[in-house]
């Protein structure tokens, strides 16, 4: 089954706190969702109704009974615990009862006397004959029993046909998939996604930071700040800090307080849209249904108005998850250093960073923009509210609330959380059971910047050492190879980690190595299949665990030491990039080969999505991606190529537009660099791989890099006489040459492909070639010829009943007509393109159609529709890093804001164009953006700036020189310069001798497609 089963955990809370925690962990370990009344007192009004509703929601009931009967509400003759148990029996769901053993010592405060004791005894006697699974002696003992029992129940559910469970039950399960709490009435705190301090015994230290937050919220410091950002790399404890302050400090210090909301963007359904809807329901005291009935812009506006007039506290945990860097397909695999380099995670004047830090990165902040531009606009507006305050914990500082100079916008502040103070570092060390003098330990801690994770790892190793028993001096005598001094920070991190892993058992180390061998987080089911023996004859070396309970113990130990991360929602396991690198580098060649072969076998046997059109997300491609990665690791490049070709190519190119992921995967097939053919036996495979890599470069914003790979692919197949593939590479080459402003070659290459297609009587390749010829002609203003080519291409797709191809050409025809200014004729074509995008559901088709719908609406004066469609296109383009669509969408949005009399917002749109347009390069989009800027400067009366922008646009649109210039950009630049009384630049004319001759081929010959 695919739904996550829900487990109602029932017990008396007062006498079993640690037991309950272990039961929660056990439920999540087997992939079930535990629910219990952790945030509601049994004596609260409505507690009975809430508890019984939880039982009704559950698929499984787990009861843990010790020495208390539980609270009996007024008007009832049974405790809530017994009522929950009996309701579970009535509902007919599996009931698992665990009783505390008779030998467990009982303290006076731990048991009931009088009627409570009598009722408890009677209930236990009844239960013993019906639903008792086992007796437990300790929390650890109970955890193992629950894991074993729930695993058996889960297997029974998995074996039951979904239809027999009933549609109503299945619907109820779907509704319980996410950790989103019910919305209470303010001022009661709304904790949408409860946070648990996993593997940390409370928050250690950070008193200075807690006081700083208190000073902020009380107005003693940073009184004008509305959004306070706590920024830190993983493992620094930013979530623990904000959670502790939210619960223990803010309620007392922030008075009067209308309410508090904790929202974690790490959770499965914690999207921006859900945040706005649920936050509004909370602060407005309205029902969720009522709020959901409002349009989304109305929800945003009303939420901001309420926050402006009433003092609410919002905590947004994991805010980086709504930023572009974390919507990329490869985001989970970037190290902290990679993320900083790619995102320029720098804020001038931020607390915790020196003024000189990262100056070279200012402006390189695109990946820190909100993937959904509505979210970026919202947090900017949130920084201007009056009464409320927002605290954000984030890996990256959002660029939407940052100036081009790198400073926070007014109303915003950034605290870059450093390593621990000396005192806190020592306290954390001791908290994890390790000892050592201040004079000895502080120099050690300073070698790795007093990073909490590394302190915890080292402390756990020292504490667990049987000979040192927590004493660092003794441990160091036993480990003379430990010497972190004088090493660069990266090497110090590796040094500490290697020491931390020395105390691991063989089974624990094998678990770490197995997870390190994955490219993605590993699921529990996968780890079970690889590490847990299924029969007595299984190899105990390759499968070191006899049961899931044994594997759970190993995973728990690794988590406690900070070596392993557990995503409880998805029940997946991953390593910090530093840990992964150290573990994998320490594996010898033989062991690595054996491990990779084991993983290859595992993933090769897994079911895979057969039809790439049915792929919905990257998760659907996990098995083939992992299989591909293991084949690369084994040096089996030809086998890896076949997996990519058959399982990944079309899904990543068309369905998901996962261009960055394609580049990441395909570059592994080029051990000698992608400037030379990959080491594959077949020349056809070599050309195909180069073509696929070039497509990845092109659609991820690197058309310049794509050109050379397309050319090399075409040369390989031409030398082998493979005309069919040669035609494909030729028209694909045009797609890279055009944005790079090589307009003569961008038209010549698809004309050559068209000639080949006609010679082969290949209608499919003819239709593709005509499309690229039409696009090239349209760019240089030859609209009539472009329309002829595109109309013939359209007829070919219609004759073949190829609806997706028909949609793509319809979009191109719409763009061609829009360039001429006939929006009324273009609009139905754009709408047709949007409709046909749903046939194959290619992400790029949706984005292009939405952009053209918005552009047509803008030309027709429908500003509301234009803004909606353009924002939709921009959000989707950024989500998949489709730069070729993002840049023109930004240009049209800039023009929209200019027409609305919002020049500064127009400039903000254009600011996001300059860097990628230069890097790509994308001269044509750059020229369009400069033409809009020229008009903005003219509107403002800035003649010199307008002339400069128009002149630059003219030069960029010149391309190879007329007639192979970007006609539309050049004409707009000319018009600006004429209006401004400025001369046109003197540029070299087109030099025919520098180009291959244009192939002679008729666009619309007399045949069955002629009209």
């Amino acid at each position: 089954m695919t739904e996550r089963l829900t487990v109602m955990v029932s017990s008396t809370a007062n006498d079993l706190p640690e037991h309950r925690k272990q039961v929660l962990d056990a439920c999540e370990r087997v992939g079930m969702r535990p629910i219990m009344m952790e945030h509601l007192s049994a004596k609260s009004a409505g507690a009975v109704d809430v508890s019984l509703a939880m039982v009704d929601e559950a698929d499984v009931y787990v009861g843990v009974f010790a020495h208390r009967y539980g609270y009996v509400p007024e008007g009832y003759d049974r405790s809530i615990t017994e009522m929950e148990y009996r309701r579970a029996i009535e509902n007919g769901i599996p009931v698992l009862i665990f009783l505390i053993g008779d030998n467990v010592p009982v303290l006076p405060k731990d048991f009931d006397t009088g009627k409570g004791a009598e009722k408890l005894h009677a209930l236990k006697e009844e239960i013993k004959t019906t639903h008792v699974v086992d007796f437990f002696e300790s929390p650890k003992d109970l955890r193992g029993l629950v894991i074993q029992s729930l695993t058996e129940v889960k297997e029974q559910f998995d074996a039951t046909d979904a239809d027999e469970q009933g549609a109503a039950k299945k619907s109820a399960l779907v509704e319980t998939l996410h950790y989103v709490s019910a919305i209470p009435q303010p001022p009661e705190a709304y904790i949408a996604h409860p946070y648990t301090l996993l593997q940390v015994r409370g928050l250690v230290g950070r008193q200075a930071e807690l006081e700083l937050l208190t000073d902020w919220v009380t107005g003693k410091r940073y009184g004008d700040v509305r959004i306070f950002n706590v920024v830190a790399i993983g493992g620094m404890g930013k979530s623990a800090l904000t959670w502790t302050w939210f619960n223990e400090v803010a309620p007392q210090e922030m008075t009067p307080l209308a309410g508090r909301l904790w929202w974690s963007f790490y959770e499965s359904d914690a999207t921006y849209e859900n945040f706005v809807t649920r936050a509004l329901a909370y602060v407005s005291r309205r029902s969720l249904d009522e709020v959901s009935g409002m349009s989304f812009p109305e929800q945003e506006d009303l939420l901001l108005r309420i926050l402006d007039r009433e003092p609410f506290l919002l905590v947004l945990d994991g805010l980086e998850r709504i930023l572009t860097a974390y919507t990329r397909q490869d985001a989970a695999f970037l190290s902290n250093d990679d993320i900083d380099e790619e995102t320029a995670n720098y804020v001038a004047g931020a607390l915790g960073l020196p003024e000189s830090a990262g100056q070279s990165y200012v402006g390189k902040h695109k990946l820190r923009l909100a993937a959904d531009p509505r979210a970026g606009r919202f947090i900017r507006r949130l920084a201007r509210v009056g009464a409320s305050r927002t605290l954000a914990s984030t890996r990256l500082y959002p660029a939407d609330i940052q100036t081009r100079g790198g400073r926070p916008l007014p109303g915003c502040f950034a605290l870059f959380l450093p390593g621990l103070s000396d005192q806190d570092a020592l306290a954390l060390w001791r908290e994890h059971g390790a000892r050592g003098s201040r004079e000895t330990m502080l120099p050690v801690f300073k070698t790795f910047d007093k990073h909490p994770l590394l302190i915890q790892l080292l402390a756990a190793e020292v504490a667990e050492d049987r000979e040192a028993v927590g004493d660092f001096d003794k441990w160091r005598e036993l480990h003379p190879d430990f010497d972190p001094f004088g090493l660069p920070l990266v090497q110090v991190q590796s040094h500490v980690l290697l020491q931390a892993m020395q105390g691991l058992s063989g089974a624990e180390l094998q678990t770490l190595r197995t997870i390190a061998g994955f490219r993605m987080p590993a699921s529990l089911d996968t780890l079970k299949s690889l590490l847990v023996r299924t029969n007595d004859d299984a190899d105990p070396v390759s499968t070191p665990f006899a049961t899931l309970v044994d594997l759970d113990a190993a995973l728990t130990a690794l988590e406690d030491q900070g070596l392993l991360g557990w995503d409880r929602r998805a029940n997946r396991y991953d390593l910090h990039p530093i840990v992964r690198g150290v573990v994998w580098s320490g594996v010898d060649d033989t062991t690595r080969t054996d491990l990779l072969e084991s993983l290859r076998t595992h993933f090769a046997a897994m079911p895979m999505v057969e039809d790439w059109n049915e792929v919905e997300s990257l998760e659907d491609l996990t098995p083939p991606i992992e299989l591909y990665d293991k084949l690369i690791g084994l040096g089996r490049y030809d086998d890896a190529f076949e997996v990519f070709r058959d399982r990944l190519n079309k899904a990543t190119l068309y369905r998901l537009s996962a261009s960055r992921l394609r580049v990441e995967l395909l570059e592994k097939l080029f051990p000698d660099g992608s400037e030379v053919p990959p080491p594959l036996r077949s020349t056809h495979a070599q050309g195909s791989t180069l073509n696929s890599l070039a497509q990845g470069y092109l659609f991820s914003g690197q058309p310049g890099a794509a050109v050379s790979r397309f050319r090399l692919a075409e040369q390989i197949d031409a030398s082998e006489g493979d005309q069919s593939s040669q035609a494909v590479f030729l028209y694909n080459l045009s797609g890279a040459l055009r944005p790079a402003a090589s307009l003569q070659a961008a038209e010549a290459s698809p004309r050559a492909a068209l000639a080949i297609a006609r010679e082969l009587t290949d209608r499919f390749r003819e239709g593709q070639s005509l499309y690229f010829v039409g696009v090239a002609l349209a760019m240089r203003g030859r609209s009539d010829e472009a329309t002829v080519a595109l109309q013939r291409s359209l007829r070919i797709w219609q004759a073949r009943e190829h609806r997706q191809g028909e949609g793509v050409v319809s979009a191109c025809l719409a763009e061609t007509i829009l360039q001429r200014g006939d929006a009324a004729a273009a609009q139905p074509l754009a709408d047709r393109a949007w409709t046909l995008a749903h046939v194959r559901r290619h992400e790029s088709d949706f984005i292009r159609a939405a952009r053209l719908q918005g552009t047509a609406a803008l030309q027709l004066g429908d500003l509301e529709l234009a803004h909606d469609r353009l924002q939709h296109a921009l959000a989707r383009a950024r989500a998949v890093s489709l730069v070729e669509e993002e840049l023109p969408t930004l240009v049209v949005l800039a023009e929209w804001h200019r027409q609305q009399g919002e020049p500064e917002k127009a400039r903000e749109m254009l600011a996001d164009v300059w860097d990628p347009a230069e890097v790509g390069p994308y001269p044509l989009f750059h020229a369009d953006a400069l033409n809009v800027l020229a008009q903005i400067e003219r509107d403002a009366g800035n003649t010199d700036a307008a002339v400069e922008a128009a002149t630059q646009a003219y030069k960029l649109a010149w391309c190879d020189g007329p007639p192979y210039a970007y006609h539309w950009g050049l004409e707009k630049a000319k018009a600006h310069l004429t209006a401004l009384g400025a001369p046109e630049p003197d540029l070299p004319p087109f030099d025919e001798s520098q180009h291959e001759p244009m192939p002679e081929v008729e666009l619309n010959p007399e045949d069955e497609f002629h009209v």
Side-chain angles (χ1 to χ4, degrees):
M1 62 181 300
T2 58
E3 294 86 0
R4 194 179 185 197
L5 295 173
T6 300
V7 181
M8 169 59 179
V9 181
S10 175
S11 71
T12 53
N14 292 336
D15 55 342
L16 297 170
E18 181 59 27
H19 295 75
R20 290 164 68 84
K21 180 183 182 303
Q22 294 299 330
V23 173
L24 288 178
D25 286 353
C27 293
E28 293 183 325
R29 183 73 83 203
V30 299
M32 296 185 180
R33 176 179 175 250
I35 54 174
M36 60 174 61
M37 294 201 334
E38 290 296 274
H39 303 286
L40 183 66
S41 169
K43 297 183 180 181
S44 302
V48 173
D49 292 338
V50 172
S51 67
L52 295 181
M54 287 183 177
V55 179
D56 292 339
E57 180 185 4
D59 303 288
V60 183
Y61 172 89
V62 169
V64 182
F65 299 154
H67 309 298
R68 291 182 182 272
Y69 178 64
Y71 175 70
V72 179
E74 185 177 350
Y76 293 86
D77 60 357
R78 293 174 178 171
S79 67
I80 290 181
T81 303
E82 181 174 352
M83 285 189 277
E84 291 169 345
Y85 161 70
R86 298 198 182 282
R87 177 64 69 89
I89 294 176
E90 292 174 8
N91 290 348
I93 61 176
V95 175
L96 309 175
I97 304 297
F98 301 88
L99 297 181
I100 198 163
D102 295 335
N103 296 325
V104 177
V106 179
L107 297 177
K109 62 183 177 63
D110 290 332
F111 64 89
D112 282 313
T113 58
K115 292 183 178 180
E118 295 175 6
K119 287 179 175 289
L120 177 62
H121 177 74
L123 180 60
K124 283 185 175 181
E125 290 302 312
E126 174 189 335
I127 290 173
K128 284 180 182 179
T129 62
T130 54
H131 296 97
V132 170
V133 175
D134 215 326
F135 295 84
F136 61 89
E137 303 293 326
S138 67
K140 182 179 179 181
D141 181 31
L142 174 62
R143 178 185 180 121
L145 294 171
V146 173
I147 287 176
Q148 181 177 343
S149 300
L150 289 181
T151 300
E152 294 172 359
V153 170
K154 189 169 183 284
E155 290 173 351
Q156 293 172 5
F157 269 92
D158 290 340
T160 302
D161 185 83
D163 293 338
E164 295 179 5
Q165 297 178 33
K169 184 65 176 178
K170 186 173 182 179
S171 176
L173 285 172
V174 171
E175 294 173 1
T176 63
L177 288 176
H178 307 295
Y179 290 109
V180 179
S181 305
I183 302 175
Q185 286 290 307
E188 182 182 346
Y190 173 27
I191 301 173
H193 317 94
Y195 172 75
T196 303
L197 297 178
L198 302 178
Q199 322 313 330
V200 179
R201 297 159 186 155
L203 178 66
V204 176
R206 295 295 189 192
Q207 190 60 41
E209 288 82 1
L210 290 170
E211 292 176 359
L212 179 61
L213 289 173
T214 301
D215 286 348
W216 159 62
V217 86
T218 57
K220 294 179 181 178
R221 298 177 66 183
Y222 314 114
D224 59 343
V225 170
R226 296 300 181 263
I227 302 180
F228 193 113
N229 295 270
V230 177
V231 188
I233 62 174
M236 277 292 183
K238 53 186 177 293
S239 294
L241 169 67
T242 52
W243 174 260
T244 300
W245 183 81
F246 173 84
N247 283 285
E248 299 179 8
V249 182
Q252 286 73 41
E253 299 292 342
M254 190 176 177
T255 55
L257 191 60
R260 292 177 294 138
L261 185 154
W262 172 280
W263 185 275
S264 174
F265 284 103
Y266 294 121
E267 293 300 333
S268 56
D269 77 331
T271 61
Y272 167 64
E273 292 92 339
N274 281 350
F275 162 70
V276 169
T277 301
R278 290 180 169 270
L280 177 57
Y282 174 63
V283 303
S284 67
R285 302 162 180 84
R286 303 184 185 192
S287 71
L288 193 57
D289 288 341
E290 181 181 355
V291 170
S292 300
M294 302 166 59
S295 71
F296 193 71
E298 288 176 324
Q299 292 180 31
E300 291 177 308
D301 291 342
L302 181 55
L303 175 57
L304 288 165
R305 288 201 302 272
I306 295 173
L307 295 176
D308 186 52
R309 69 172 184 259
E310 295 185 52
F312 283 90
L313 171 65
L314 309 182
V315 178
L316 307 180
D317 186 37
L319 188 60
E320 75 272 6
R321 295 299 170 140
I322 71 169
L323 306 183
T324 301
Y326 281 86
T327 59
R328 302 187 314 172
Q329 303 290 358
D330 61 344
F333 319 117
L334 296 175
S335 68
N336 287 321
D337 290 340
D338 291 336
I339 293 174
D340 279 333
E341 171 64 27
E342 293 197 29
T343 63
N345 194 26
Y346 166 73
V347 183
L351 198 62
L353 283 184
E355 279 291 330
S356 60
Q359 290 290 352
S360 63
Y361 293 152
V362 173
K364 291 171 54 182
H365 64 290
K366 173 187 169 185
L367 294 177
R368 289 190 285 110
L369 290 169
D372 186 337
R374 297 174 302 173
R377 184 177 67 249
F378 180 87
I379 60 174
R380 287 194 298 272
R381 295 172 67 189
L382 192 59
R384 299 193 295 269
V385 300
S388 295
R389 301 290 185 272
T390 300
L391 173 62
S393 66
T394 179
R395 172 66 188 85
L396 302 172
Y397 185 83
D400 291 285
I401 49 176
Q402 185 179 29
T403 68
R404 286 285 292 174
R407 293 193 173 275
L409 289 179
C412 303
F413 180 78
L415 165 64
F416 277 70
L417 200 62
L420 296 172
S421 67
D422 290 353
Q423 182 177 346
D424 291 349
L426 290 167
L428 180 62
W429 175 258
R430 293 164 186 150
E431 185 71 24
H432 284 272
R435 303 186 304 280
S437 69
R438 180 185 183 91
E439 293 72 23
T440 299
M441 299 315 308
L442 286 181
V444 175
F445 298 156
K446 288 177 181 177
T447 62
F448 45 81
D449 293 344
K450 293 176 282 189
H451 188 286
L453 172 62
L454 295 178
I455 293 175
Q456 178 184 332
L457 289 171
L458 187 59
E461 164 61 17
V462 173
E464 293 295 325
D465 190 287
R466 293 183 179 180
E467 295 185 58
V469 290
D471 187 294
F472 180 74
D473 291 330
K474 290 183 179 178
W475 180 86
R476 194 162 187 176
E477 290 177 6
L478 296 167
H479 299 82
D481 55 335
F482 178 73
D483 183 14
F485 301 98
L487 297 173
L489 179 59
V490 173
Q491 294 182 30
V492 173
Q493 292 172 337
S494 299
H495 191 67
V496 173
L497 281 165
L498 286 172
Q499 295 293 331
M501 291 187 294
Q502 284 187 2
L504 298 179
S505 68
E508 290 168 348
L509 185 58
Q510 185 170 343
T511 302
L512 265 189
R513 289 173 171 174
T514 300
I515 297 172
F518 284 87
R519 188 183 166 279
M520 297 177 175
S523 70
L524 182 72
D525 288 340
T526 297
L527 294 179
K528 281 170 55 182
S529 65
L530 290 169
L531 298 171
V532 178
R533 297 191 289 276
T534 56
N535 54 65
D536 295 335
D537 297 329
D539 180 11
V541 176
S542 59
T543 50
F545 301 109
T547 67
L548 176 60
V549 175
D550 297 330
L551 173 59
D552 167 70
L555 293 173
T556 301
L558 294 172
E559 292 154 24
D560 288 341
Q561 289 187 259
L563 292 168
L564 179 68
W566 179 16
D567 177 355
R568 291 174 175 245
R569 174 189 57 81
N571 204 15
R572 300 188 305 178
Y573 302 82
D574 203 2
L575 307 180
H576 189 283
I578 298 173
V579 178
R580 183 186 300 277
V582 172
V583 170
W584 196 243
S585 64
V587 179
D588 62 75
D589 291 342
T590 300
T591 303
R592 183 176 301 180
T593 299
D594 291 344
L595 180 57
L596 288 173
E597 182 59 34
S598 175
L599 292 172
R600 184 205 67 77
T601 302
H602 171 76
F603 286 108
M606 289 185 69
M608 303 184 190
V609 178
E610 295 297 331
D611 185 352
W612 62 269
N613 284 294
E614 296 179 1
V615 170
E616 297 296 335
S617 68
L618 187 60
E619 298 243 339
D620 293 336
L621 298 178
T622 297
I625 288 175
E626 291 286 359
L627 175 58
Y628 174 91
D629 188 66
K630 304 309 164 285
L631 289 167
I632 292 289
L634 292 166
R636 294 171 56 175
Y637 294 108
D638 287 286
D639 293 335
F641 163 76
E642 292 179 4
V643 171
F644 183 87
R645 179 195 63 197
D646 299 338
R647 300 289 184 181
L648 298 170
N649 184 33
K650 290 184 178 180
T652 56
L653 178 62
Y654 299 124
R655 276 292 298 120
L656 303 178
S657 289
S659 300
R660 292 181 184 274
L661 174 62
R662 287 171 65 82
V663 170
E664 178 190 345
L665 294 175
L666 287 166
E667 283 185 338
K668 294 181 179 182
L669 280 174
F670 293 82
D672 300 319
S674 61
E675 296 78 13
V676 297
L680 301 174
R681 290 191 295 268
S682 163
T683 54
H684 175 76
Q686 291 178 341
S688 176
T689 303
L690 280 162
N691 179 69
S692 296
L693 178 60
Q695 289 174 317
Y697 286 138
L698 174 60
F699 297 127
S700 63
Q702 305 174 71
V707 169
S708 61
R709 279 71 175 185
F710 278 132
R711 288 194 185 281
L712 182 56
E714 186 270 330
Q715 291 166 9
I716 289 174
D717 277 20
S719 66
E720 293 294 319
D722 185 351
Q723 287 187 297
S724 181
S725 295
Q726 184 186 2
V728 173
F729 303 155
L730 280 168
Y731 59 63
N732 281 346
L733 172 62
S734 175
L737 290 167
R738 174 177 41 80
S742 299
L743 294 193
Q744 194 276 350
E747 185 177 334
S749 61
R751 282 182 178 269
L754 179 59
I756 293 174
R758 294 259 174 80
E759 182 180 345
L760 298 174
T761 62
D762 187 332
R763 288 298 188 194
F764 182 89
R765 281 164 175 68
E766 179 183 1
Q768 291 281 65
S769 301
L770 284 164
Y771 167 79
F772 282 99
V773 171
V775 173
L777 287 166
M779 287 298 100
R780 60 190 192 94
R782 305 291 288 271
S783 298
D784 290 343
E785 292 175 75
T787 301
V788 169
L790 292 171
Q791 289 287 4
R792 182 179 176 91
S793 177
L794 184 65
R795 292 194 298 274
I796 288 175
W797 302 128
Q798 290 171 336
R800 296 173 63 90
E801 296 185 353
H802 194 296
R803 299 306 179 204
Q804 189 269 336
E806 182 183 345
V808 171
V809 178
S810 296
C812 189
L813 281 167
E815 187 143 32
T816 302
I817 296 170
L818 282 170
Q819 289 168 337
R820 298 200 304 257
D822 189 356
Q827 188 175 50
L829 285 166
D831 292 342
R832 178 67 173 161
W834 174 260
T835 299
L836 292 175
H838 291 78
V839 175
R840 292 285 183 88
R841 299 180 300 142
H842 295 181
E843 187 63 16
S844 58
D845 292 351
F846 284 114
I847 296 167
R848 184 187 306 109
R851 173 176 62 83
L852 294 169
Q853 287 176 315
T855 305
L858 179 60
Q859 289 189 16
L860 292 169
D862 190 341
L863 297 181
E864 182 177 354
L865 176 61
H867 192 262
D868 177 74
R869 301 312 294 152
L870 292 169
Q871 290 284 17
H872 181 87
L874 183 60
R876 293 181 78 155
R878 281 179 165 168
V880 297
S881 296
L882 188 57
V883 179
E884 192 168 87
E885 284 298 327
E886 178 187 353
L887 297 188
T889 304
L890 285 166
V891 172
V892 183
L893 273 169
E895 175 60 20
W896 185 94
H897 284 294
R898 188 196 71 80
Q899 292 186 22
Q900 286 286 89
E902 300 171 345
E904 290 309 311
K905 290 186 178 180
R907 291 177 189 274
E908 287 180 19
M909 296 290 107
L910 295 177
D912 292 334
V913 174
W914 308 133
D915 287 346
E918 291 176 3
V919 171
Y922 288 98
L924 309 191
F925 298 148
H926 203 165
D928 288 337
L930 285 164
N931 275 319
V932 175
L933 179 61
Q935 188 61 58
I936 293 172
E937 301 293 5
R938 286 178 62 186
D939 296 342
N942 301 326
T943 302
D944 290 346
V947 169
E948 181 182 357
T951 301
Q952 286 184 271
Y954 188 103
K955 292 177 179 179
L956 289 168
W958 189 259
C959 301
D960 298 322
Y964 295 103
Y966 174 37
H967 174 80
W968 309 105
L970 193 62
E971 289 302 306
K972 288 180 181 177
K974 285 181 181 180
H976 283 308
L977 293 172
T978 299
L980 293 164
E984 297 178 12
D986 185 17
L987 300 174
F990 172 71
D991 184 353
E992 190 172 354
S993 66
Q994 299 299 311
H995 300 271
E996 294 292 329
M998 185 67 67
E1000 294 288 339
V1001 58
E1002 191 172 352
L1003 296 180
N1004 189 30
E1006 296 286 342
D1007 61 15
E1008 65 269 30
F1009 289 101
H1010 180 66
V1011 176

